[in-house]
Structure formats: C-alpha cells, structure tokens
Amino acid sequence: MTVQLCVDPDWEPYEWIDKEGNFHGIAADLINKIAGNANVNFEIVATRDWPESLEFAKARQCDALAFLNQTPERSEWLDFSEIYFTDPNVFITHQDFEYIRSLAELNDNRVALPHGTGVEQHLRRHYPKLTIQTYDSEIDAILAVQSKDADIAIRSLSVAAYLLRKEGLFDLKVAGNLEGFSNQFRIGVVKDNEALVERLNIGIFLLTPDDIRSAVNRYVYIRFYSEPDYTMLVTVIAISGILIGLISFWTIKLKRLNLQLQTNQSALKSSRDQLQKSLDEEHMTNMRQHQFMRMVAHEFRTPLSVIESSCDLLELQSSQHPMLTPTIEKQRLSARYLSDLVNRSLAEDRMVKTYWQRNAAWVSCEEIIRTAENYALLLNQGQHQIIAINKANKISGDGELLQMMMNNLVENAIKYSPNGGNITIQALEENNQVILCVADEGMGISEADQPMMFGKYQRGQHDTPGLGLGLYLVKGIAKLHNGQVNLTSEVMKGTTISVTLPILMNNNDAKDLRLEI
C-alpha cells in the first residue's frame, strides 16, 4: 500500500528534507519504523514549506501529514492516528527575562511562532490578548527573539535545545514551559480513509521504546552529550522523562491490546464455527428444495403431456361432435396453465442457483414480441384487441427467461382485463437500452397495492386465480439482466408494466451476478 506523505521540509530536528530530497529527522526515523510495521510504503511529496504541506493535504494532493498535533480546526478535515511522540513546549527568551509560570501573567508581550502550527491555533483560541507574530520557519521565530523583534518564542523542547545549540544562541534561555499544551505528535490522514488510520495505528502500536530512544538519540542526545552545557542537561532530563513515560504507556497499552486480541480471536472463532454450521444447514436445505422442485416438475409434466395429447386427439374428432370444442379448449388451457406454473417454479429454482452469463446470447426482439403476441391470442378467446409493436433489433440475454417474463406480463394483462379492451405488447430501443412493455385497459392496481405487487406470492386481486409468482419472476429476470421494472396503474383504467434492459451487459456488470431471493 503506497501513501503520499507531506512533511515539514524545514523543522529540525523533527523532520526536514535535504538538498538531495532525502527525508531526515526524529519523525523520519519513526515514520520508517511505522511503515515497516504496518506494511505501508510512504512516498514523500515535495513542498516549499509547512503551510504548503497543509494546503496540499487539504487539496488531497497527499494522503497524510507525517508529524503534527491534533487541533479542533485540523480535525475538521483530518483523521488522526494514535500519539507516537510527545514533547513539551517551552518559552525561549533573553537571559534577563524573568521565569514565566503561566501565559496568563502576560498581556502585551509579543510571541514569535512559525506560521500554521498547532501552538498558534491554541494561543489564538485561549490567549487572545497576546500579540502573535508568525514567521516562515523555526529559526526565524527564535532569531526574532534574539533581535528583540519579539519577546518570547514558544517551541518544543527538542527543537529549542537543538536550534539554540546549533546556532550558538547562548544569550537566549528556556524560561518555563507551556502548561496544558504539550506536543502530542500524530499522523494526520485526510478524511474518509479510516482503513489507512487503522493500519497506521497497528504500526504505531508495534513501535518499541528502543525505536523511540534510538530516533531521539540520533538527532538530539548524541549531538549534545559531549558538550557540558545546561541547555543540553535540561534536554537530556526532559527526553529521559518522556522515554520513561512512553515505555510505561506502551507496555500497559500492549498488554491491554494483547488481552483484547485474545478475547476477539476466541469470539471470532466461535462466530466462524457458528456461521459455517448455519451455511452448511442452509446448503442442505437448498439442496433438498431443488431436489423436491425437480421431482415435482417431473411428476407433473408426464400427466400434463398426456392431457395435452388427449386434447389433440379429441380436437381431430371435434368436427363430428362440435359440442366438444369448448370443453377441449378449456382442458387445453387448464393443462397449459398448470404447465406454466411448473415452468415458473423451475425458473425460480434456476435463477437462485445459476449465473446469468452462462445462458447469455443474442435474442431477437421481434421473436420475443411475436411469441408474446401468439401467446396472447391463444389466451384471448376474442375478448381483447391484441396490438403488437416492435421497434427494437436484438438484446443480449437469456432468451428463455426473457420470453417467460413477457408471457407473464401478457397473461397478467389478459387475466386482469375481464371487460376486454386493448392489450398492447411492444419493444422500443433508445439510449443503448431495450424497453419491453405490456399495457392493458383492465382493473388497474390501487396505490396501496402497488408497492407489494413484485413480492413473492403477492396478488392485487385475490379473487383471480394464480400463485402470485408472475410479477415476482418478472422482477427477478429483469434483475438478472441488470434491468429495471416500472409499474404505472390506475384503478379501472388499466396497468402498464415496462422493463428497461441494457442491450449488452459488459463483463464487469455480468461477473458473479446472482439473483438474491
């Protein structure tokens, strides 16, 4: 996993970028450790200064900021990791400046700070009487105190000790610390990336006290230890205290995390076993259901075939016995109705257990409309005017299922139009889609019943025979083809049901598409 990382290019000893573009500092060492622990690859995004790094992160030109305090303002657009380094803030003044117990004692003093820091936001919020002067860098802020353009600079102890020593500013001193606001450095991640925050927290949890001690000693402790000055002594004592606190904190934290991990693993194993048991039971139930449906279909089809064959034989003799013709036709329609019920049940079973793209092929829209028209004429018995319109070429899909879908719509239209009227069957093509539509002038469906019409075993008119599977299968077949069904209806004025389907589904749409019933 690669993460674009913005840093402060000039913030020694925490982090800086040299002329060759290499990332250095306490934060750099710790970030490298965190990256290894979390299996993350950090790529440094070059910026001119810290304000530009903030702007890059706000504009999502980088994914995270390496080393910063959490503030209310920043929390509006950043999520933060756990703390991975702590350092107190101290007051830097001239040698003749008195010891500062609290900023509340100060009123008109000029405070020098680098621009865009968390300390600046804290002071402006809690100490509005202070005169805050911002500068482009850490050293510029401290040099403003030396030149007496400012009275106080407030920086972290590590930075203060490092810069005072490096620049030889021995006429300045540490005159107290800022209570209630120590630096608690975290990684700031641009919003809506919780997974990255969680992964970084894992890397932080795996940091060891030796990792932190090594990073600090490399840039602060080792540089100053050979020089017997008081600034170095204060720095060493402070950092030692920080390290002891960090060691204790992470020891307790890791123990708690290990205990929680063991508990979670036990609960996860139990849940996994229970889930597997439920899946096995569901699989066996589905297998029994599919076996039963196939058995029922087989048992029904044989006698239905006998009945339909008998109707054909009787029809040959109907010329000699005209009175038999209506009875034969009723028997034929009843047998066909039972056959359709069996086919619909098998269609439901087929959609549950197979993938759509296994049966996909080019289907002629003209063939679909013509077959639906013939089916309507067979069911019609002269009561309705059948109108068939085709203005589409072809569609990619399961031809058998698409035809069943249209036949169901035709059958519903005739069944719920007892007073005759027009039955319109049509196919239209627009915007790389085919719209298959059946409209009637029958009973219509009330607004209260419309939301449930596509449910399983749901029927709007309960005195009309049927299982309530027709529209349920229509919706299921449309879904398998990545389509949508639309129903418009008004009581006693008729119903129109249209199915909008893509002419050709691409591979990504068709991949692993399964109807969930």
Side-chain angles (χ1 to χ4, degrees), residues 416 443-446 449 453 458-466 491:
Y416 294 109
M443 299 176 180
I445 305 169
S446 68
D449 285 339
M453 290 309 300
Q458 297 291 334
R459 293 184 295 122
Q461 305 293 336
H462 296 287
D463 57 348
T464 304
V491 175

Side-chain angles (χ1 to χ4, degrees), residues 123-412:
L123 295 184
R124 291 189 186 279
R125 188 166 54 249
H126 295 285
Y127 301 96
K129 293 183 179 180
L130 289 177
T131 301
I132 297 176
Q133 302 172 180
T134 59
Y135 296 86
D136 291 337
S137 66
E138 298 276 356
I139 188 59
D140 288 343
I142 293 176
L143 290 175
V145 175
Q146 186 189 39
S147 63
K148 297 191 176 181
D149 290 331
D151 302 310
I152 304 166
I154 302 177
R155 298 316 301 136
S156 64
L157 180 58
S158 296
V159 170
Y162 180 85
L163 291 179
L164 291 179
R165 175 60 183 170
K166 178 182 177 182
E167 302 297 331
L169 305 176
F170 301 113
D171 53 341
L172 302 182
K173 69 176 182 179
V174 173
N177 65 289
L178 178 60
E179 294 182 357
F181 191 82
S182 62
N183 291 296
Q184 297 180 326
F185 293 115
R186 310 167 187 258
I187 301 173
V189 179
V190 175
K191 285 283 188 182
D192 303 324
N193 202 344
E194 293 84 357
L196 176 58
V197 175
E198 292 177 3
R199 179 174 288 195
L200 294 175
N201 281 337
I202 292 173
I204 291 171
F205 292 153
L206 296 176
L207 280 179
T208 67
D210 283 341
D211 293 334
I212 298 170
R213 186 185 303 113
S214 175
V216 173
N217 287 346
R218 181 179 180 189
Y219 296 99
V220 179
Y221 179 78
I222 293 177
R223 286 178 182 271
F224 300 147
Y225 185 78
S226 61
E227 293 290 339
D229 62 68
Y230 295 109
T231 303
M232 189 61 235
L233 179 60
V234 171
T235 304
V236 171
I237 293 173
I239 292 176
S240 297
I242 293 170
L243 291 176
I244 292 172
L246 285 172
I247 292 169
S248 301
F249 171 78
W250 288 116
T251 300
I252 296 171
K253 186 98 173 178
L254 287 173
K255 285 182 179 178
R256 290 178 179 174
L257 287 172
N258 286 332
L259 180 61
Q260 185 63 43
L261 181 61
Q262 292 175 0
T263 303
N264 291 345
Q265 286 176 337
S266 177
L268 180 61
K269 184 179 184 302
S270 176
S271 299
R272 187 167 54 243
D273 293 343
Q274 184 63 37
L275 177 60
Q276 186 60 51
K277 181 180 178 181
S278 299
L279 289 173
D280 291 342
E281 292 175 354
E282 180 183 4
H283 177 71
M284 291 302 299
T285 301
N286 287 335
M287 289 294 294
R288 295 190 188 100
Q289 177 184 351
H290 299 326
Q291 290 171 357
F292 176 75
M293 290 302 303
R294 286 192 292 271
M295 179 187 70
V296 168
H298 177 74
E299 295 298 326
F300 267 80
R301 277 176 168 171
T302 300
L304 286 174
S305 297
V306 173
I307 293 172
E308 290 180 346
S309 298
S310 299
C311 289
D312 292 338
L313 291 174
L314 289 173
E315 189 175 12
L316 294 175
Q317 302 176 13
S318 62
S319 61
Q320 301 175 5
H321 305 280
M323 296 179 60
L324 291 177
T325 300
T327 302
I328 294 170
E329 189 61 30
K330 288 182 180 179
Q331 290 176 345
R332 187 191 303 280
L333 288 175
S334 297
R336 182 158 296 173
Y337 176 73
L338 288 175
S339 179
D340 286 344
L341 290 180
V342 172
N343 289 335
R344 289 174 189 173
S345 299
L346 289 175
E348 178 190 357
D349 180 63
R350 171 180 172 184
M351 286 188 292
V352 170
K353 66 182 181 179
T354 62
Y355 291 105
W356 173 81
Q357 67 266 30
R358 293 179 182 172
N359 302 291
W362 284 111
V363 182
S364 167
C365 294
E366 181 180 1
E367 180 68 22
I368 292 175
I369 297 301
R370 185 171 64 251
T371 303
E373 179 186 14
N374 291 337
Y375 186 64
L377 292 172
L378 178 66
L379 299 177
N380 182 31
Q381 296 183 326
Q383 292 180 335
H384 308 85
Q385 177 69 29
I386 307 300
I387 302 171
I389 303 170
N390 177 52
K391 295 183 178 180
N393 185 14
K394 59 183 179 179
I395 185 172
S396 173
D398 187 316
E400 182 179 342
L401 291 181
L402 290 174
Q403 193 65 63
M404 179 180 294
M405 178 183 73
M406 288 298 291
N407 288 353
N408 283 342
L409 293 177
V410 167
E411 183 177 334
N412 272 10

